[in-house]
């Protein structure tokens, strides 16, 4: 299913509203940049590569709007800055905005209408390329999985988190396409429940065997020998291979090390940020307390009690057995140069 696309009839960017899954398939329409920034902040769409793809379409909507502004270049400049700050951790967002900006500079276009034309074409290209990158990554990663493996994953690094096919789930899909029998354990991933709601939803749709586990069951499942491999996605990979990914990933990586289970990260090269030396230099997004204090509008924490809601954590490179990309599989020691 295409979950991010521009619909010329509706004249809008159409996003599958991931807040409603798995109960309802609702579509969220963006007709201007404000809608796109809202969709990113509120997690209508989420997952690092999907955030990048959405931002690219957001640039197109911005150029369209700018045509009506007096100083259209200033409007675009301000819009791009706002867009690139919608979520701080996934480097794909800044990557997409920088790519659009530099394509504009190289083109020497001097009209918002022409720029909108260029940016729509590029956004569609980024979307298509993301899917083909994921398929390439999947083929490299599939070599690391064996027939009969049970693979634990954390958060959602599947079709819904990308243009399509997925990074971590793409590796699993590719291994299955290569004829291997693979089962998945999806950690539920509190508080937004990307594992329980989204990973389980898309794997079930594809007929891939999946069981959902509470986040706090990971140690027991590993101890019992019910997990052979862990594969997760990434929001940003520092030059030294430290990985920012969904909160809880670091704990799973420590557990995998303690139980001698390979821990893999699957991510496109655009998620690697050589300008960031180590994980300590990555900004970790803090999200609203209400995501932790409430479930479906119902309070689960006494009123007035403070909570932590860091959206991501950093897994140090020494816990990562390999990083799978579309260019191949990197093994430690990691050193990513620009
Ligand atoms: O807050 P989210 O849902 O955007 O976080 C998503 C993740 O942490 C994913 O694992 C990561 O973006 C990789 S997606 C291919």
């Amino acid at each position: 299913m295409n979950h991010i696309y521009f619909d010329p009839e509706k004249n809008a960017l159409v996003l599958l509203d991931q807040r409603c899954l798995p109960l309802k398939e609702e579509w969220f329409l963006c007709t201007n940049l404000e809608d796109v920034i809202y969709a990113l902040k509120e997690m209508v769409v989420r997952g690092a590569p999907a955030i990048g793809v959405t931002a690219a379409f957001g640039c197109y909507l911005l150029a369209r709007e700018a045509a009506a502004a007096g100083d259209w270049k200033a409007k675009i400049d301000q819009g791009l800055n706002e867009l690139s700050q919608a979520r701080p951790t996934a480097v794909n967002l800044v990557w997409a905005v920088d790519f659009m900006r530099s394509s504009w500079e190289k083109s020497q276009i001097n009209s918002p209408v022409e720029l909108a034309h260029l940016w729509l074409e590029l956004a569609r290209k980024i979307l298509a390329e993301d899917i083909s990158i994921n398929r390439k990554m999947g083929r490299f990663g599939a070599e690391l999985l064996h027939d009969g493996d049970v693979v634990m994953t954390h958060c959602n690094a599947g079709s819904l988190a990308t243009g399509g096919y997925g990074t971590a789930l793409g590796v699993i899909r590719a291994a299955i396409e290569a004829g291997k029998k693979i089962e998945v354990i999806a950690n539920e991933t509190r508080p937004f429940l990307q594992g329980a709601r989204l990973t389980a939803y898309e794997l079930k749709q594809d007929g891939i065997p999946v069981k959902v586990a509470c986040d706090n069951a990971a140690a027991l499942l590993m101890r019992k020998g019910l997990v052979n491999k862990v594969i997760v996605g990434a929001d940003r990979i520092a030059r030294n291979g430290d990985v920012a990914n969904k909160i809880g990933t670091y704990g799973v990586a420590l557990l995998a090390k303690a139980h001698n289970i390979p821990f893999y990260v699957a991510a496109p090269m655009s998620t690697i940020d050589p300008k960031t030396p180590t994980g300590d230099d990555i900004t970790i997004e803090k999200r609203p307390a209400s995501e932790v204090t409430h479930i479906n509008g119902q309070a689960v924490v006494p009123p007035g009690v403070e909570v932590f809601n860091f959206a991501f954590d950093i897994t140090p490179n020494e816990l990562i057995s390999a990083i799978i990309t579309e260019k191949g599989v990197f093994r430690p020691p990691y050193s990513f140069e620009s």
Side-chain angles (χ1 to χ4, degrees):
M1 178 199 287
N2 292 336
H3 71 102
I4 306 172
Y5 62 95
F6 181 74
D7 184 336
E9 274 172 32
K10 295 193 174 83
N11 203 16
L13 170 65
V14 182
L15 303 171
L16 179 60
D17 191 336
Q18 299 191 26
R19 297 170 303 178
C20 305
L21 293 173
L23 299 180
K24 283 183 286 178
E25 281 177 10
E26 279 192 8
W27 297 90
F28 183 91
L29 301 191
C30 302
T31 55
N32 55 37
L33 184 71
E34 199 185 335
D35 295 340
V36 172
I37 292 177
Y38 173 89
L40 293 172
K41 287 191 168 164
E42 295 298 318
M43 314 234 294
V44 170
V45 60
R46 29 63 51 201
I51 289 171
V53 169
T54 304
F57 281 103
C59 292
Y60 159 64
L61 296 180
L62 169 64
R64 261 185 8 179
E65 275 177 274
D71 186 347
W72 65 274
K73 286 186 181 168
K75 167 102 183 158
I76 288 186
D77 209 43
Q78 190 196 338
L80 292 181
N81 289 339
E82 278 171 27
L83 178 59
S84 60
Q85 286 162 32
R87 291 193 73 192
T89 307
V91 72
N92 310 59
L93 174 57
V94 182
W95 177 89
V97 172
D98 285 352
F99 176 79
M100 297 306 245
R101 204 193 282 271
S102 68
S103 314
W104 174 20
E105 282 161 11
K106 278 187 213 135
S107 74
Q108 295 181 340
I109 281 175
N110 205 15
S111 107
V113 176
E114 272 181 58
L115 184 60
H117 200 73
L118 172 74
W119 278 355
L120 177 59
E121 197 183 304
L122 288 179
R124 286 183 165 142
K125 212 165 147 197
I126 288 175
L127 171 61
E129 268 174 16
D130 185 59
I131 300 170
S132 92
I133 282 170
N134 291 338
R135 287 192 176 272
K136 270 191 209 144
M137 191 190 306
R139 284 194 288 275
F140 283 119
E143 302 284 316
L144 303 172
L145 298 189
H146 299 122
D147 194 36
D149 272 351
V150 179
V151 180
M152 177 175 279
T153 188
H154 193 76
C155 194
N156 170 262
S159 296
L160 291 165
T162 61
Y165 201 68
T167 56
L169 298 192
V171 169
I172 290 165
R173 288 192 165 99
I176 291 172
E177 283 164 20
K180 296 173 193 173
K181 191 174 158 285
I182 308 288
E183 288 179 23
V184 179
I185 295 177
N187 291 341
E188 64 175 351
T189 320
R190 273 278 286 154
F192 201 68
L193 301 176
Q194 288 94 331
R197 298 189 303 105
L198 309 176
T199 296
Y201 166 83
E202 62 171 87
L203 292 181
K204 183 165 185 276
Q205 273 202 337
D206 281 4
I208 297 174
V210 56
K211 289 193 178 86
V212 171
C214 297
D215 296 327
N216 45 16
L220 178 76
L221 297 177
M222 290 186 187
R223 178 88 183 173
K224 277 180 165 293
L226 298 176
V227 181
N228 305 100
K229 309 264 159 68
V230 178
I231 309 184
V232 298
D235 280 78
R236 191 182 293 241
I237 301 176
R239 190 194 310 154
N240 70 345
D242 290 350
V243 165
N245 192 50
K246 181 51 52 192
I247 188 80
T249 303
Y250 176 30
V252 175
L254 284 167
L255 289 171
K257 184 79 160 184
H259 293 88
N260 233 345
I261 295 170
F263 180 93
Y264 299 123
V265 173
M269 293 300 293
S270 58
T271 299
I272 298 173
D273 179 16
K275 282 191 240 127
T276 299
T278 75
D280 292 337
D281 304 297
I282 298 175
T283 304
I284 297 185
E285 178 182 9
K286 283 191 206 140
R287 295 202 46 89
S290 57
E291 289 180 354
V292 176
T293 57
H294 287 68
I295 297 179
N296 281 340
Q298 195 81 28
V300 291
V301 174
V305 172
E306 287 185 25
V307 298
F308 290 110
N309 192 11
F310 291 102
F312 301 97
D313 61 24
I314 307 294
T315 300
N317 57 45
E318 65 267 18
L319 299 178
I320 302 168
S321 314
I323 297 178
I324 305 158
T325 73
E326 73 275 22
K327 295 256 187 272
V329 176
F330 293 85
R331 298 273 182 182
Y334 305 105
S335 175
F336 297 107
E337 303 301 332
S338 331

